């Protein structure tokens, strides 16, 4: 433990010194130098502690038992998920979330069996950061916190509230409470062991890959899977309709036609569809980012 604290202090001090003269090029991440120091610390913590423990857990604990553990904590999470859906003005989803908890806690034997999904009751992913975003609060800056991982400014505030919405927090005995949090963390990390390999193969700069994947997924969750396109995602063809530029001017400037424009004579062929591995890597990146915060309620991932 002393070694990790020392490494954390050194990493953050070095990153802070570098950050005094360096500002990240991405406007969403003005503290990139500092964030990279925290990111490296979290990577070391995962490599030296979480991953070995999760690997041992997966090796020793039978698959059905691991499924029961995963379902048990997922069932507890439905209580807070339902509360957030209610705060977001989605009472129908709240009914589903709390019905899931009721059925799984009874017919599913305290939640170890997910009978609600078999009954057709959809599992949702909601937290207080999404609730704030639903009502118009902007992301703010991107941060990487030691232990807790990636958060926007808004989601940092949301995580504090999520902590109080975690049912495990209200277990009276401290030993049982922290054991439950540790077991939840190890269980979630064990589920992501295979995803680590995908990330290693997919990312040239893991920090940038994780950051972009996290921000993309959080935006998608806030809009329930249908986010409006950000300004920088608008295809070139749409931008040209607002500010016309002649084809000759584009040609002389070396600007290529967007792949979003329907192909026509002489048009460039559309780019190939993303490979499945890339999609899996994006999902895995975000879940790995959120795994260190499993001591608090999971934040959608």
């Amino acid at each position: 433990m002393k070694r990790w604290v020392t490494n954390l202090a050194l990493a953050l001090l070095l990153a802070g010194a570098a950050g005094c003269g360096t500002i990240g090029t991405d406007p969403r991440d003005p503290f990139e130098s500092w964030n990279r120091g925290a990111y490296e610390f979290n990577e070391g913590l995962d490599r030296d502690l979480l991953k070995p423990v999760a690997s041992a857990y997966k090796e020793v604990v039978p698959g059905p038992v691991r499924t029961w553990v995963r379902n048990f904590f997922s069932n507890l999470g439905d209580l807070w998920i339902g509360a957030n859906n209610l705060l977001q003005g989605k009472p129908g989803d709240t009914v589903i979330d709390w019905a899931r908890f009721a059925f799984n806690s009874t017919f599913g034997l305290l939640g170890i069996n997910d009978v609600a999904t078999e009954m057709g009751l959809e599992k949702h992913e909601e937290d207080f950061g999404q609730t704030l975003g639903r009502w118009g609060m902007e992301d703010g800056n991107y941060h990487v916190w030691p232990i807790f991982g990636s958060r926007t400014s808004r989601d940092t505030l949301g995580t504090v509230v999520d902590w109080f919405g975690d049912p495990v927090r209200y277990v009276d005995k401290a030993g049982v409470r922290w054991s439950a949090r540790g077991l939840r963390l190890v269980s979630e990390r064990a589920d992501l062991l295979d995803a680590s390999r995908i990330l290693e193969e997919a990312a040239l700069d893991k920090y940038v890959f994780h950051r972009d994947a996290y921000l993309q997924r959080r935006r998608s969750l806030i809009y329930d899977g249908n986010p409006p396109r950000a300004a920088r995602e608008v295809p070139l063809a749409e931008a040209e309709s607002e500010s016309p530029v002649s084809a000759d001017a584009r040609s002389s400037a070396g600007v290529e036609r967007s792949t979003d424009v329907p192909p026509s004579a002489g048009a460039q062929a559309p780019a190939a569809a993303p490979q499945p591995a890339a999609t899996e890597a994006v999902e895995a990146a975000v879940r790995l980012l959120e795994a260190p915060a499993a001591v608090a309620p999971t934040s959608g991932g």
Side-chain angles (χ1 to χ4, degrees):
M1 183 66 182
K2 183 178 179 181
R3 174 188 172 191
W4 294 328
V5 173
T6 303
N7 289 343
L8 171 61
L10 289 174
L12 294 183
L13 285 173
L14 290 173
C20 292
T22 305
I23 298 178
T25 57
D26 192 317
R28 303 169 301 176
D29 187 9
F31 310 114
E32 181 174 337
S33 295
W34 178 272
N35 287 339
R36 282 183 180 270
Y39 177 82
E40 290 300 324
F41 169 79
N42 289 343
E43 284 280 284
L45 180 63
D46 180 73
R47 180 183 61 251
D48 295 341
L49 178 62
L50 292 180
K51 189 174 181 179
V53 173
S55 298
Y57 171 82
K58 188 173 182 178
E59 183 71 23
V60 173
V61 179
V65 176
R66 297 199 308 271
T67 299
W68 293 338
V69 171
R70 183 190 310 117
N71 288 343
F72 176 80
F73 288 112
S74 177
N75 183 54
L76 290 181
D78 281 335
L79 287 171
W80 185 235
I81 289 171
N84 277 285
N85 269 323
L86 187 62
L87 292 171
Q88 293 174 28
K90 298 183 288 186
D93 286 348
T94 296
V95 171
I96 292 175
D97 298 327
W98 289 346
R100 283 181 54 87
F101 177 78
F103 287 126
N104 284 338
S105 298
T106 52
F107 301 114
L109 302 179
L110 299 180
I112 65 173
N113 296 299
D114 186 5
V115 298
T117 296
E118 297 175 3
M119 296 169 62
L121 297 176
E122 180 185 1
K123 173 74 175 178
H124 299 130
E125 297 183 55
E126 305 291 344
D127 54 56
F128 196 72
Q130 292 172 239
T131 298
L132 294 174
R134 176 85 173 182
W135 293 110
M137 187 173 180
E138 298 294 332
D139 289 342
N141 296 322
Y142 174 76
H143 307 275
V144 180
W145 300 112
I147 309 298
F148 289 94
S150 292
R151 295 290 186 276
T152 60
S153 298
R154 182 195 61 227
D155 290 339
T156 298
L157 175 60
T159 298
V160 174
V161 180
D162 287 337
W163 179 269
F164 291 96
D166 180 11
V168 175
R169 182 180 184 275
Y170 299 98
V171 175
D172 288 334
K173 294 184 177 180
V176 176
R177 182 169 63 250
W178 285 103
S179 296
R181 286 171 171 162
L183 177 59
R184 177 169 58 188
L185 174 59
V186 171
S187 173
E188 293 188 357
R189 186 61 185 91
D191 290 338
L192 299 172
L193 288 173
D194 293 335
S196 301
R197 176 183 53 81
I198 298 176
L199 283 175
E200 294 292 342
E201 296 174 354
L204 296 177
D205 185 335
K206 289 179 65 177
Y207 172 83
V208 172
F209 186 88
H210 284 187
R211 178 191 65 199
D212 292 348
Y214 174 82
L215 294 173
Q216 176 183 334
R217 184 167 185 267
R218 290 299 293 174
R219 180 175 171 82
S220 177
L221 287 173
I222 289 171
Y223 289 96
D224 293 331
N226 278 313
R229 283 184 297 186
R232 66 179 187 174
E233 296 173 343
V234 176
L236 179 60
E238 294 181 17
E240 289 173 350
S241 67
E242 298 177 2
S243 178
V245 178
S246 68
D248 291 339
R250 289 199 308 272
S251 177
S252 62
V255 179
E256 296 182 3
R257 181 182 298 271
S258 168
T259 56
D260 287 341
V261 178
S264 58
Q268 194 175 12
Q275 296 299 317
T279 303
E280 293 177 10
V282 170
E283 183 72 16
V286 180
R287 295 185 64 199
L288 279 173
L289 282 169
E290 295 177 346
V295 290
T298 54
S299 54

